[in-house]
């Protein structure tokens, strides 16, 4: 679900507590389910507007690979 007010919400990172997993992707549209199964969270879709986006559920960060992201999506 996308933030209707486009506030750019990003979780506050707490060193030693918040996972700092960075996943490199090639498209601006990413799906996150926190790893799936009983350890995951509801599946959400996010769009990378600039260089990266962070999941508000699990704090995984999705970052565009160099040269990626020109997907011309509708």
């Amino acid at each position: 679900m996308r933030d209707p007010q486009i506030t750019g919400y990003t979780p506050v990172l707490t060193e030693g507590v918040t996972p700092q997993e960075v996943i490199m992707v090639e498209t601006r549209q990413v799906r996150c389910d926190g790893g799936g199964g009983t350890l995951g969270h509801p599946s959400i879709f996010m769009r990378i507007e600039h260089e990266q986006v962070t999941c508000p559920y699990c704090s995984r960060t999705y970052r565009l690979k160099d040269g990626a992201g020109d997907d011309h999506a509708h």
Side-chain angles (χ1 to χ4, degrees), residues 15-70:
E15 190 172 334
V17 176
T18 307
Q20 295 185 12
E21 183 176 5
V22 176
I23 300 169
M24 302 302 288
V25 296
E26 295 184 359
T27 61
R28 291 191 179 275
Q29 182 81 15
V30 295
R31 177 179 138 329
C32 185
D33 64 4
T38 58
L39 299 177
H41 58 69
S43 186
I44 62 169
F45 289 88
M46 301 173 288
R47 178 151 178 88
I48 300 173
E49 297 295 334
H50 298 287
E51 297 174 6
Q52 65 185 28
V53 66
T54 302
C55 178
Y57 282 103
C58 66
S59 300
R60 284 182 174 175
T61 297
Y62 294 86
R63 185 174 298 150
L64 280 175
K65 291 182 180 178
D66 289 338
D70 195 14

